[in-house]
């Protein structure tokens, strides 16, 4: 079945450490997105990519980095520069046109220990 | 820019009650409109959509009608169940804003037996 897979489901980061969250889709979608969700809050866009080898900053890109070397993959690195990384991270993908909704992964919960 | 405003929650209903969650939007052009549902600890799932004025989206007993004159897309269900307890997000996606979606802040629904 086609879908979007995020891993791991739970991740623990020590202070000063970089961690990478995986996002893979087999839906042949052009566009991919990373969102951050804090408890009881809405979604905030971190980065997005509309095509391979190209990506743009969202509203809260500081302390994060991404790559888009393959259409299927859009990993997110949370760097040590992100001072408050504890959150629920959601990856999504979509066809490029506005008539299509997003398909979301099941999320990664990152906790700083 | 684009924006989505949802009625504030939380909303608490008894089983078999009628549900309305209000959603209004501001956008240039003619966006597509969406409702997503998020169950605890999971990613968002697309619930229904409408791509042009007067379209009605429906799924699992939920309905919403694209009202251009009132810039609204209210979510309704005639008889809610305990299993409908979740967070509901209204969203729009237009052909401006680089094709990104704009999400509302979410409305938490709790249905009591």
């Amino acid at each position: 079945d086609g879908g979007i897979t995020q891993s791991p489901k739970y991740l623990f980061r020590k202070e000063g450490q970089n961690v990478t969250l995986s996002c893979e889709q087999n839906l042949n979608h052009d566009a991919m997105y990373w969102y951050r969700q804090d408890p009881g809050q809405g979604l905030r866009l971190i980065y997005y990519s509309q095509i391979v080898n190209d990506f743009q900053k969202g509203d809260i890109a500081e302390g994060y980095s991404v790559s888009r070397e393959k259409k299927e993959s859009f990993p997110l690195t949370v760097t040590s520069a992100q001072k408050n990384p504890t959150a629920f991270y959601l990856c999504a993908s979509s066809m490029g046109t506005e008539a299509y909704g997003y398909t979301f992964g099941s999320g990664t919960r990152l906790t700083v220990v | 820019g684009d924006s989505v405003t949802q009625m504030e929650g939380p909303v608490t209903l008894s089983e078999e009650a009628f549900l309305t969650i209000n959603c209004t939007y501001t956008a240039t052009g003619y966006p597509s409109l969406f409702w997503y549902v998020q169950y605890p600890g999971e990613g968002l799932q697309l619930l229904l959509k409408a791509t042009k004025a007067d379209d009605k989206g429906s799924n699992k007993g939920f309905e919403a009608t694209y009202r251009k004159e009132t810039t609204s897309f209210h979510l309704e269900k005639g008889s809610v169940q305990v299993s409908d307890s979740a967070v509901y997000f209204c969203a729009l996606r237009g052909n401006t804003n680089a094709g990104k979606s704009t999400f509302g802040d979410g409305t938490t629904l709790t249905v009591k037996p």
Side-chain angles (χ1 to χ4, degrees):
Chain A
D1 286 340
I4 182 166
T5 301
Q6 289 187 242
S7 63
K9 190 168 180 65
Y10 299 95
L11 186 57
F12 298 89
R13 193 194 93 167
K14 294 181 180 179
E15 295 280 352
Q17 195 177 46
N18 292 357
V19 291
T20 298
L21 284 60
S22 171
C23 179
E24 302 276 336
Q25 54 99 359
N26 60 2
L27 299 165
N28 200 33
H29 285 169
D30 298 310
M32 297 187 74
Y33 310 84
W34 273 106
Y35 287 91
R36 170 178 172 144
Q37 187 176 32
D38 293 284
Q41 303 295 311
L43 304 175
R44 292 189 287 171
L45 182 64
I46 305 172
Y47 269 98
Y48 65 103
S49 169
Q50 295 175 296
I51 195 170
V52 175
N53 292 322
D54 189 42
F55 49 83
Q56 286 78 41
K57 294 181 179 180
D59 301 318
I60 57 164
E62 186 174 350
Y64 300 97
S65 65
V66 294
S67 63
R68 187 87 187 276
E69 298 176 0
K70 299 186 299 182
K71 188 175 186 178
E72 302 80 17
S73 179
F74 192 42
L76 173 73
T77 296
V78 184
T79 75
S80 57
Q82 172 48 242
K83 296 307 178 187
N84 185 22
T86 295
F88 190 51
Y89 291 86
L90 287 164
C91 180
S93 69
S94 179
M95 296 300 288
T97 60
E98 64 269 18
Y100 291 91
Y102 288 3
T103 300
F104 282 84
S106 57
T108 293
R109 188 166 300 280
L110 173 63
T111 303
V112 173
V113 295
Chain B
D2 296 347
S3 68
V4 174
T5 302
Q6 290 183 232
M7 70 184 277
E8 292 190 17
V11 175
T12 302
L13 296 173
S14 297
E15 206 165 23
E16 299 184 1
F18 185 85
L19 169 70
T20 300
I21 300 178
N22 289 340
C23 172
T24 58
Y25 68 91
T26 302
T28 54
Y30 303 96
S32 295
L33 301 174
F34 306 86
W35 277 101
Y36 292 85
V37 59
Q38 184 180 31
Y39 299 101
E42 299 182 9
L44 280 69
Q45 301 173 25
L46 180 62
L47 181 59
L48 54 82
K49 72 175 185 181
T51 58
K52 62 182 187 295
D54 300 324
D55 268 2
K56 176 185 283 189
S58 62
N59 186 24
K60 299 180 182 179
F62 291 90
E63 294 182 340
T65 301
Y66 190 140
R67 300 287 188 198
K68 191 173 186 300
E69 63 276 13
T70 55
T71 62
S72 65
F73 192 55
H74 304 322
L75 182 68
E76 297 182 336
K77 186 175 185 183
S79 176
V80 293
Q81 305 300 312
V82 173
S83 58
D84 293 326
S85 298
V87 181
Y88 293 83
F89 291 89
C90 183
L92 68 83
R93 191 179 186 193
N95 54 12
T96 58
N97 199 22
K100 293 178 292 182
S101 285
T102 299
F103 289 85
D105 290 337
T107 301
T108 300
L109 170 66
T110 301
V111 180
K112 297 191 172 182

